[in-house]
Amino acid sequence: MEEDLRTLAFTDSLTGVNNRRRFFELANKELERTKRNGRPFCFLTLDIDHFKTINDSHGHDQGDIVLTKLAACCLQELRCSDIFGRIGGEEFSAILIETDTETAQIVAERLRKRIAAESIQTDDARIAFTISIGLSHWQGNDDTIDSIMQRADKALYTAKNLGRNRVENG
Ligand code: GH3
Ligand code: MG
Ligand code: MG
């Protein structure tokens, strides 16, 4: 019972992945670990492109299915040890632990391509969707997750401005 309640408190009810609170709890633990052992990690912010249009064209319920599918694909592509969560409406974040920038770039690109190849089928339409990704990496002087995340968010903003469905470094 207690275990069930704990799981509920940590889980995003729509997608089943870590919720915002749990994601940042795990992220902070990882930051503290990295400060001790110096092994770098990378931070990804993922945001669905033109999601409002998907909702407007196909309905909120189909939008929810897209969110669920996206989360499932990310879990499949990432390693079990990576940290993944839903941060807000159609925004997700991942921490690739003990990962250098070059590898993270490859992982992010693989994730982007995987999502772009996915679609969901409704009664009368096939809905394809894409994501933009902002990528940042831990630097020795990063004291908080917030500063790492800010760089990823900035990179995401650039990815959106450069046309979406792409990965940018921050
Ligand atoms: P951009 O490519 O710039 O990211 O455009 P966008 O349309 O994805 O961005 P915007 O922030 O304008 O829209 C996000 C939309 O996500 C608006 C909101 O209704 C929708 N949304 C947020 N949470 C949920 C949810 O839980 N389910 C569904 N179906 N939609 C959601
Ligand atoms: Mg958004
Ligand atoms: Mg969006």
Side-chain angles (χ1 to χ4, degrees):
M1 172 79 173
E2 227 169 76
E3 188 63 29
D4 286 354
L5 285 176
R6 247 177 85 80
T7 306
L8 267 180
F10 286 161
T11 307
D12 172 54
S13 58
L14 176 67
T15 62
V17 300
N18 290 315
N19 61 19
R20 181 187 177 87
R21 174 171 155 227
R22 179 62 169 164
F23 176 83
F24 283 109
E25 196 175 290
L26 294 171
N28 279 309
K29 273 188 193 155
E30 181 55 27
L31 178 64
E32 290 314 312
R33 207 157 66 119
T34 289
K35 281 180 187 171
R36 286 196 304 273
N37 67 21
R39 295 196 195 124
F41 65 84
C42 287
F43 193 103
L44 268 58
T45 298
L46 293 68
D47 185 287
I48 305 182
D49 297 325
H50 299 304
F51 191 52
K52 197 172 177 311
T53 309
I54 294 178
N55 273 328
D56 290 348
S57 311
H58 304 282
H60 204 266
D61 287 352
Q62 300 301 333
D64 282 359
I65 296 172
V66 168
L67 288 170
T68 307
K69 179 97 178 183
L70 170 70
C73 290
C74 289
L75 287 185
Q76 273 177 20
E77 292 295 328
L78 297 171
R79 289 171 302 190
C80 299
S81 51
D82 292 335
I83 303 166
F84 182 73
R86 185 177 178 202
I87 302 307
E90 33 98 59
E91 192 173 314
F92 296 82
S93 283
I95 286 185
L96 312 180
I97 71 161
E98 295 184 14
T99 306
D100 59 45
T101 317
E102 291 76 30
T103 311
Q105 180 72 35
I106 293 166
V107 173
E109 194 55 36
R110 194 179 71 210
L111 214 54
R112 183 196 65 75
K113 280 198 185 126
R114 165 75 196 269
I115 300 299
E118 287 291 339
S119 60
I120 62 161
Q121 180 70 51
T122 72
D123 286 343
D124 46 15
R126 182 167 283 280
I127 309 172
F129 47 97
T130 60
I131 53 169
S132 296
I133 301 179
L135 172 61
S136 65
H137 57 102
W138 176 73
Q139 292 167 356
N141 56 355
D142 277 318
D143 208 37
T144 61
I145 285 293
D146 202 47
S147 65
I148 304 161
M149 190 172 173
Q150 272 178 27
R151 291 199 299 278
D153 285 351
K154 246 183 157 174
L156 173 66
Y157 185 75
T158 306
K160 293 281 183 184
N161 281 335
L162 289 174
R164 297 174 171 81
N165 188 22
R166 56 188 293 143
V167 179
E168 285 296 319
N169 273 284

